[in-house]
Amino acid sequence: MTWSPYAATDDEAVIGLLPPDFRLGAATSAFQIEGAAAEDGRTPSIWDTFCRVPGAVADGDTGDVACDHYHRMPEDVALLAALGLDSYRFSVSWSRVQPGGRGPANPAGLAFYDRLVDELLDRGVTPWLTLYHWDLPQELQDAGGWPTRDTAFRFADYAELVHARLGDRVTHWTTLNEPFCSAVLGHVEGVHAPGGRSLADGVRAVHHLHLAHGLAVQRLRAAARRPLDLAVTHLLGTSGPATDSAADREAARRADAFGFRFYLDPILRGRYPRDLIEDLAAHRIEIPVRAGDLEVIAAPIDTLGVNYYRSMRSSGVDEHGSAAGARGLPVTRALPHGGLPVTGLGWEVMPHDLTDLLLRVARDYPGTPMIVTENGAAYDDQPDADGFVDDAARTAYLSAHLAAVSRARTAGADVRGYFVWSLLDNFEWAYGYAGRFGIVRVDRGTQSRTPKRSALWLRDTARRVRRRSVDRGARTGTDADTGTVRRRRRP
Ligand code: FCB
């Protein structure tokens, strides 16, 4: 199979250019894999609630059991290690470690992550911890959620509480996963929890998520007794114009302001884009910035996490050819490119766009190292009699995208690692369990795990990349920080 404009055979050669210390890992998130929704003191998150809204999630699926990772964690960590992955990106469930989202820690909840971190370090896998992957405690939603400023301060307290327990062993901390999805899919488009449909709420949510990030960065830096690697992860893509018309070019500018610069500018430049402020003013919406907020939000980070799946084209006309939509405001419509291969969810496969994206970030926001914290594809897997999935399409997808990262590096982007989404087939939000992104198949009936061909490809790729270090006499696969951070002795 070939992916325009690069051929797969070239991809393998380009991947071979990655340096031996390039981070290769897999990612998951708490709500998508843990299950044990009501165990050991965990309280509901907005996703537990949303799953119960009729029609919100395909097939009425919930996260109640998910991949039962809460009970199978050692087995899953062993799997990661067997695949030779040096890093594991996971998230902490806020309502598991601080039920209700405020007040004291829940020792049983924290103990789970304590065991997970020790298990990873024991096996030479670096923990890459995300504090928030969309599962806000329901009580905080009831108090107003992300459109409310106080939620940012609750998040900072929670970040400190997790750090107090794990900060002696976890070096890599990501505050938030994809604020765009929390804010826009959750508050404007209504397709993610909490299911709101208000642009004004979405804009407030973005600002308070940024504030939450900045406050947490400050608190963690102040609390840490050793250097931490602090990051935030954003979902990024490009949004070029559908045609060269003035309306489409203007739509592409608006899409770029609202979907891209709204997220990177405050954090990496300490300001909101001027054109975005004007676009929002046309909707009579203001970003609720208070004095001092932008200094907090722009607290220096060490790494920018980039999640990439696909990009869309921007059109400035609606389906009837009109440039003014409802309420007389200009139209911005996201369209597929057309003529490209698509994944099982219909998402267009565009690896070359990942190269462009990474180069753009490197050019427009110089000086911040990047990690691709998510990239992967859902396909309609067909297991054989042994449960093995020969997922040639997913393997080609991953190979093409890893090569795209390598190309961006060669062209000057400082990209230091790549995490596959996802380790396991899991709860894919509104798609439920139908969206299978795993490199390891999870049988929904038995919960048995079977690495797919893509997992074996990743294992071999990791070996190949590391082998270069042996050839050159440099350090081998074990990550420096797993080597120096000692696990805590359990009584
Ligand atoms: C990302 C999410 C992740 C997963 C992938 C497919 O936006 O961060 O949890 O759902 O999409």
Side-chain angles (χ1 to χ4, degrees):
M1 196 175 309
T2 55
W3 306 111
S4 171
Y6 308 113
T9 44
D10 292 345
D11 290 341
E12 292 300 318
V14 174
I15 290 168
L17 299 176
L18 292 170
D21 61 352
F22 187 80
R23 191 178 292 281
L24 278 173
T28 63
S29 87
F31 190 80
Q32 295 179 273
I33 65 167
E34 284 180 5
E39 266 177 66
D40 294 339
R42 181 187 181 279
T43 53
S45 74
I46 53 174
W47 269 95
D48 294 283
T49 308
F50 192 63
C51 287
R52 277 151 182 95
V53 174
V57 174
D59 297 327
D61 287 340
T62 73
D64 290 358
V65 177
C67 302
D68 197 30
H69 172 75
Y70 191 71
H71 300 116
R72 294 165 194 263
M73 179 272 286
E75 180 193 341
D76 291 338
V77 174
L79 202 52
L80 272 166
L83 293 176
L85 300 178
D86 55 60
S87 304
Y88 176 50
R89 176 175 181 254
F90 63 96
S91 79
V92 174
S93 156
W94 187 344
S95 58
R96 196 182 287 294
V97 305
Q98 190 188 34
R102 57 178 92 229
N106 170 26
L110 274 179
F112 170 72
Y113 298 102
D114 203 62
R115 292 196 301 276
L116 168 60
V117 166
D118 280 349
E119 200 78 35
L120 290 167
L121 293 174
D122 273 355
R123 291 185 178 270
V125 180
T126 300
W128 190 280
L129 184 154
T130 299
L131 284 161
Y132 184 75
H133 199 124
W134 305 355
D135 43 357
L136 188 74
Q138 182 59 42
E139 289 82 349
L140 293 186
Q141 181 61 36
D142 297 341
W146 288 113
T148 303
R149 188 174 171 90
D150 184 60
T151 305
F153 293 86
R154 301 285 66 75
F155 177 77
D157 290 351
Y158 153 71
E160 241 183 322
L161 171 153
V162 179
H163 177 265
R165 180 68 175 257
L166 304 178
D168 59 336
R169 286 154 292 152
V170 176
T171 303
H172 303 276
W173 297 75
T174 298
T175 52
L176 307 172
N177 177 68
E178 300 183 355
F180 167 84
C181 293
S182 299
V184 177
L185 301 187
H187 295 82
V188 183
E189 297 182 11
V191 295
H192 277 189
R197 286 182 186 275
S198 150
L199 180 59
D201 277 354
V203 168
R204 279 194 283 271
V206 174
H207 181 64
H208 297 141
L209 283 153
H210 283 326
L211 187 61
H213 155 80
L215 290 168
V217 167
Q218 289 186 333
R219 298 266 194 104
L220 263 50
R221 284 269 193 245
R225 274 186 245 111
R226 60 199 187 84
L228 299 180
D229 182 283
L230 300 182
V232 61
T233 277
H234 287 294
L235 176 66
L236 299 176
T238 61
S239 49
T243 71
D244 205 31
S245 74
D248 288 357
R249 279 188 278 116
E250 169 61 6
R253 181 203 58 74
R254 285 195 302 271
D256 187 65
F258 188 68
F260 193 104
R261 290 180 280 121
F262 199 179
Y263 299 90
L264 295 197
D265 278 19
I267 292 190
L268 298 173
R269 292 180 171 158
R271 58 174 188 260
Y272 284 111
R274 179 156 298 285
D275 58 332
L276 171 74
I277 294 171
E278 286 165 13
D279 292 346
L280 292 172
H283 292 263
R284 297 183 202 289
I285 292 173
E286 257 182 54
I287 306 171
V289 184
R290 294 198 192 164
D293 283 4
L294 285 161
E295 287 73 33
V296 174
I297 291 170
I301 54 172
D302 304 288
T303 303
L304 176 69
V306 175
N307 289 359
Y308 172 78
Y309 290 92
R310 58 170 169 170
S311 290
M312 308 289 275
R313 299 176 306 149
S314 303
S315 163
V317 291
D318 65 18
E319 54 275 38
H320 310 296
S322 163
R327 293 189 286 159
L329 292 167
V331 172
T332 305
R333 236 169 14 124
L335 297 177
H337 289 73
L340 293 172
V342 295
T343 70
L345 296 181
W347 298 4
E348 290 182 322
V349 179
M350 313 176 57
H352 53 284
D353 207 65
L354 176 56
T355 308
D356 296 348
L357 168 66
L358 295 168
L359 287 171
R360 177 194 176 178
V361 177
R363 186 194 67 221
D364 291 356
Y365 306 89
T368 307
M370 289 177 272
I371 296 263
V372 174
T373 35
E374 282 183 31
N375 174 246
Y379 284 102
D380 184 17
D381 293 333
Q382 301 299 332
D384 67 14
D386 298 323
F388 180 73
V389 177
D390 188 3
D391 56 342
R394 184 178 289 104
T395 306
Y397 179 102
L398 296 179
S399 158
H401 285 77
L402 188 55
V405 174
S406 185
R407 286 189 175 93
R409 282 179 51 89
T410 306
D414 183 4
V415 193
R416 302 190 178 174
Y418 175 91
F419 288 85
V420 170
W421 183 270
S422 178
L423 178 66
L424 304 171
D425 288 339
N426 60 45
F427 174 81
E428 183 42 46
W429 309 113
Y431 295 101
Y433 294 98
R436 288 179 173 268
F437 275 87
I439 54 171
V440 173
R441 175 178 164 77
V442 177
D443 182 296
R444 295 239 57 75
T446 63
Q447 290 287 353
S448 69
R449 276 79 160 131
T450 313
K452 304 175 192 176
R453 169 170 160 179
S454 53
L456 305 180
W457 169 83
L458 189 62
R459 179 197 63 191
D460 295 345
T461 299
R463 274 188 197 149
R464 193 154 67 93
V465 170
R466 304 250 173 65
R467 194 170 303 131
R468 288 160 40 93
S469 66
V470 178
D471 294 347
R472 294 172 182 175
R475 72 182 172 82
T476 47
T478 312
D479 190 279
D481 44 37
T482 59
T484 53
V485 178
R486 301 196 69 79
R487 80 191 288 274
R488 177 188 286 171
R489 285 274 135 238
R490 279 199 293 270

